[in-house]
Amino acid sequence: MTSPADLATRIVHHDYVPPAGFAAPQPAVYKASTVIFPNVAAMRAREWKDKTSYTYGLHGTPTSYQLEERLCELEGGKQCLLVPSGLAAIANVSLALLRAGDEVLIPDNAYGPNKALAEVELAHYGIRHVLYDPMDLADLAARITPATRLVWLEAPGSVTLEFPDLVEQVRICRERGVVCALDNTWGAGLAFAPFDLRGDGQWGVDVSVHALTKYPSGGGDVLMGSIVTRDQALHLRMKLCHMRLGLGVGANDVESVLRSLPSIGLRYRAHDVAARALARWMAEQPAVAQVLHPALAGSPGHDQWRALCAADGGEGAAAGLFSVVIDPRYSQAQVDAFCDRLQYFKLGYSWGGPMSLVVPYELATMRSRPTPQLVPGTVVRFSIGLEAEADLRRDLAQALAHAFPAP
């Protein structure tokens, strides 16, 4: 007869199982590294690649599977991978699809860390990168060579927010047989459908990466990214790379995104409405030489934005970002003083959270060639949060008056 187990053992190996049938608005949170198997046969038979079962926490839990499926619904994909950040999503795609001797094309106005990844890490593996002008379709077509295996797209571009002809970019890649991956953080699955750009179910990107850090999270407190595709073979290549790199996300972070995701449409709309109003107001200010916002007429790529995001003649969707070019007659010190003077706009990177942010940029250090669509001057990017639009406008007005006084 076996003697009764020690209390410490009984606590660890307690056999109580809660009854089935519990349901609530928010999914349960499963925290696991180890997954328990009922027997050796089950351990040998389980398969993690198709989400039919569980083998190890790094390969998925019921909690992470639910977020992946909801993100597929958001972006119109069929398969999804979760990674620790938006940049990790970019790195996972590039490392999975590129080999020594391959070439990747990146828009000159892409998210800076994507270019830095290519310049340093991909170069270590013998992978060449080429920058192209995203506003020049002929330039993209001319730079695709037999060695090109991946083209990155971004709509709109980072900081300066030029909106490319995304449909034609995809067409060029498809005609050349090259995989195209889109950084869809700005669009968030709401401004346009990345896998159905023309609304016919036949025309879209091959891969969509998304910094869930931004709008899906919405709180400015979670780092996470996703990789969505409709192609099973492509997904498997990226998933196996994901496994070999040991990429994983924490269950509490997944819980945070799941909690915020139902309100993403409402929040995205609120950011958008306030950003457009403030961008139009900033366009009237004497110190501002140019406003960069895809939904504003005259902004680079506005017609392409309208064709894709407002094709039905409505207002369309355009996130909560805009940038301004400060008139070059003002010094960098004055631009910095303007940013420092702001009270509700905090100095900080990222966007999509409840707090408005501002960052001044030295554009010359971020681009490989001049950008003819932009007037000269220092670029300042604003991320509009969820504060009252009137308060943000007053804050901008006092900072403009302080830094750029009327003569």
Side-chain angles (χ1 to χ4, degrees):
M1 184 178 216
T2 306
S3 60
D6 185 271
L7 175 60
T9 302
R10 299 201 310 272
I11 291 173
V12 173
H13 290 273
H14 201 287
D15 58 4
Y16 175 78
V17 177
F22 179 82
Q26 294 299 325
V29 180
Y30 291 84
K31 301 178 182 180
S33 51
T34 297
V35 173
I36 303 299
F37 302 89
N39 50 57
V40 173
M43 176 177 278
R44 290 172 175 163
R46 285 193 187 180
E47 176 56 75
W48 59 272
K49 300 184 192 71
D50 59 6
K51 290 188 180 178
T52 57
S53 55
Y54 307 98
T55 58
Y56 190 65
L58 202 59
H59 302 150
T61 68
T63 314
S64 62
Y65 282 3
Q66 289 201 57
L67 179 55
E68 288 172 350
E69 291 304 306
R70 293 186 186 189
L71 292 171
C72 283
E73 185 70 24
L74 175 66
E75 297 205 59
K78 293 182 178 179
Q79 301 90 10
C80 177
L81 293 169
L82 299 178
V83 292
S85 68
L87 179 56
I90 292 170
N92 193 155
V93 172
S94 290
L95 290 171
L97 303 184
L98 299 170
R99 298 292 180 267
D102 289 346
E103 185 177 81
V104 57
L105 269 57
I106 303 174
D108 197 29
N109 63 354
Y111 174 55
N114 188 357
K115 295 197 287 186
L117 174 75
E119 290 166 359
V120 181
E121 305 304 330
L122 296 186
H124 288 166
Y125 297 105
I127 299 166
R128 181 171 180 261
H129 80 280
V130 175
L131 300 178
Y132 70 92
D133 183 348
M135 306 303 286
D136 185 347
L137 293 171
D139 187 57
L140 169 59
R143 293 182 185 276
I144 295 177
T145 73
T148 306
R149 296 290 179 269
L150 176 64
V151 173
W152 278 103
L153 310 174
E154 195 161 330
S158 181
V159 179
T160 44
L161 301 171
E162 303 97 331
F163 207 96
D165 190 338
L166 196 57
V167 173
E168 284 300 299
Q169 288 181 328
V170 170
R171 181 189 62 79
I172 290 170
C173 293
R174 182 171 294 185
E175 287 181 349
R176 305 296 184 87
V178 177
V179 172
C180 60
L182 169 71
D183 184 335
N184 194 34
T185 303
W186 180 93
L190 298 170
F192 57 89
F195 298 102
D196 190 13
L197 296 172
R198 299 192 305 190
D200 57 8
Q202 301 296 318
W203 203 258
V205 301
D206 297 303
V207 181
S208 174
V209 302
H210 194 161
L212 307 181
T213 305
K214 275 59 170 190
Y215 293 117
S217 163
D221 58 352
V222 172
L223 286 166
M224 196 181 299
S226 63
I227 305 166
V228 176
T229 184
R230 284 184 170 182
D231 185 289
Q232 179 61 31
L234 201 57
H235 171 69
L236 186 57
R237 289 177 65 184
M238 294 184 293
K239 189 164 191 171
L240 290 173
C241 179
H242 181 276
M243 178 270 291
R244 288 187 285 262
L245 291 172
L247 297 176
V249 294
N252 287 122
D253 287 342
V254 174
E255 177 191 21
S256 293
V257 179
L258 280 168
R259 185 181 181 89
S260 298
L261 203 58
S263 67
I264 187 174
L266 297 173
R267 291 182 286 103
Y268 193 91
R269 173 65 176 165
H271 291 296
D272 184 354
V273 169
R276 291 195 209 202
L278 292 169
R280 292 188 182 103
W281 182 82
M282 286 291 282
E284 300 171 354
Q285 306 312 305
V288 175
Q290 186 179 21
V291 175
L292 306 171
H293 187 300
L296 268 60
S299 190
H302 169 72
D303 291 341
Q304 286 88 265
W305 168 84
R306 178 160 292 283
L308 185 64
C309 302
D312 60 358
E315 292 184 352
L321 293 177
F322 71 89
S323 294
V324 302
V325 181
I326 301 296
D327 193 294
R329 71 178 182 270
Y330 296 110
S331 67
Q332 184 64 58
Q334 286 177 285
V335 175
D336 293 351
F338 163 70
C339 295
D340 287 342
R341 180 76 176 190
L342 290 163
Q343 298 173 5
Y344 294 127
F345 289 87
K346 302 303 181 183
L347 284 161
Y349 296 105
S350 196
W351 34 275
M355 182 180 292
S356 293
L357 303 171
V358 62
V359 181
Y361 286 93
E362 295 181 28
L363 199 59
T365 66
M366 303 168 61
R367 302 286 185 265
S368 67
R369 69 195 81 183
T371 307
Q373 297 93 347
L374 303 183
V375 302
T378 300
V379 175
V380 179
R381 188 187 72 183
F382 298 92
S383 165
I384 305 305
L386 297 175
E387 305 94 341
E389 183 255 314
D391 288 332
L392 296 178
R393 185 178 303 194
R394 282 192 290 271
D395 193 21
L396 289 167
Q398 64 83 21
L400 286 166
H402 170 78
F404 314 117

